[in-house]
Structure formats: C-alpha cells, structure tokens
Amino acid sequence: MDVTPASPEPVPLPEPKRLGALARLAPEPMKVVLNWGRRYSLWVFNFGLACCAIEFIAASMARHDFIRLGVIPFAPGPRQADLMVVSGTVTDKMAPAVKRLYEQMPEPKYVISFGACSNCGGPYWDSYSVTKGVDQIIPVDVYVPGCPPRPEALLQGILKLQEKIARESLAERYGSTQPSAAALQSGLVQPPPAPAAAGESR
C-alpha cells in the first residue's frame, strides 16, 4: 500500500507591525524612511543650567561640529525642537520649567541628560534644593556621564540616540494605548476652584 506523507500545515506568519493609524495609507518601508529622516534632522532645544552647557556649546562649534551628524543646535523654541539636552544642575525651583518646556515639544521627542548633575545631582546630590536627576520629572533616552563631560561624550550620546531612533517602531510607541485627557494635562497650572453657588452653605 502506497502511503504518501501528509503535507504539513502552513504556519501563519505574524502580522507585520504597521505605523499605527497610518497603516492603511503607508507601506511598511515607510518606517525605515521616517526613522532615517528623524535621526538625521534633530533640532536641539538646549536647556543649559550650569557649567555643562559650556561643553555643549563646545560640541556645536567648529572643532567637534555635531551638525555633521544631522543635529541642528539652538532651535527657536520648544515647539520646533525634537531633542532636549539638559546640561547642568536641575534644582527643585527649575524643575517645573523643565517639565513645562518638555511638554511643549511635539512628538516624537527625545531627551539627553548631559553630565553628572543632570543624571543624578552630581556633587550636589545631597543638597536640599537639587533634584536627584532630571529623570525624576521627564523621561530620559540617553545618559551622558562625566563631571565635566567632554564634547566627545556628547557626540557618542547623540550616536546612541540615533541608533535608538533607527530601531524605533511608531506602532509600539503610539499605537498600543491612547493617552487619556488627564495624562495630557500638565498638572503644573491648575484652574481656579469654581465659586460656590449662592444657596450653598459653607
């Protein structure tokens, strides 16, 4: 009796990850094109708070010239910026301003914490007025250590961020959950309480 082996069942391939809401309009290679354009056109909003800001300025000058990496320094404001570089000591008094300006940046946005003071408070970590790292108030993508950090370290941090952007999936970043209205509110400026009605007792 001739017995022919049964053909194996076809294994379904996993659904490729798309671009969130634009999946029906954009083909899959668009993710590569968008990430390529995003990684080489980073407008920087420099938040220089202390001496590390001098090292950031040195990285943007002719000797190191991070413009050759596709990084454009000194964006006109947070609404035109893609990348915030926090360089220097973040104090508790300055922390609300850092958070407010970060929230004004359009998505997708990235943060580099530049120097020991921005990373963890640095030599002032035990001060009553110093925030123990900028990641206490905003999310950080790349940490650049050093006190003071060298401009070459910032260049390495930018390259690491560009590698992260190249691997980024917009579907994972934006397509999984929709932010609630409460999550989109700053929380820094609260509306005044509603006045009590005329007939209510206090």
Side-chain angles (χ1 to χ4, degrees), residues 8-76:
E9 291 291 326
V11 178
L13 296 175
E15 179 69 21
K17 293 181 179 177
R18 303 291 181 181
L19 295 175
L22 297 178
R24 60 186 181 82
L25 302 177
E28 189 67 22
M30 280 299 293
K31 182 182 78 170
V32 178
V33 175
L34 291 174
N35 288 349
W36 178 84
R38 191 173 294 117
R39 68 188 287 201
Y40 291 124
S41 61
L42 291 171
W43 282 83
V44 177
F45 183 64
N46 180 30
F47 212 95
L49 297 171
C51 43
C52 292
I54 304 300
E55 302 297 326
F56 172 87
I57 294 170
S60 66
M61 295 294 111
R63 183 180 183 91
H64 300 284
D65 187 27
F66 62 35
I67 299 177
R68 62 194 164 93
L69 301 176
V71 179
I72 300 96
F74 312 120

Side-chain angles (χ1 to χ4, degrees), residues 118-196:
S118 179
N119 291 344
C120 62
Y124 316 108
W125 65 272
D126 58 347
S127 173
Y128 71 95
S129 62
V130 172
T131 305
K132 309 305 185 281
V134 72
D135 55 2
Q136 302 289 319
I137 52 175
I138 59 175
V140 174
D141 296 286
V142 175
Y143 296 87
V144 178
C147 182
R150 293 283 301 161
E152 294 90 348
L154 179 59
L155 298 182
Q156 180 68 18
I158 290 170
L159 292 176
K160 291 296 182 183
L161 178 63
Q162 289 177 335
E163 292 173 6
K164 180 178 180 179
I165 295 173
R167 299 190 304 265
E168 192 172 50
S169 171
L170 296 182
E172 292 177 0
R173 184 164 182 154
Y174 302 110
S176 58
T177 58
Q178 294 295 327
S180 62
L184 295 176
Q185 293 177 353
S186 168
L188 297 175
V189 179
Q190 297 294 335

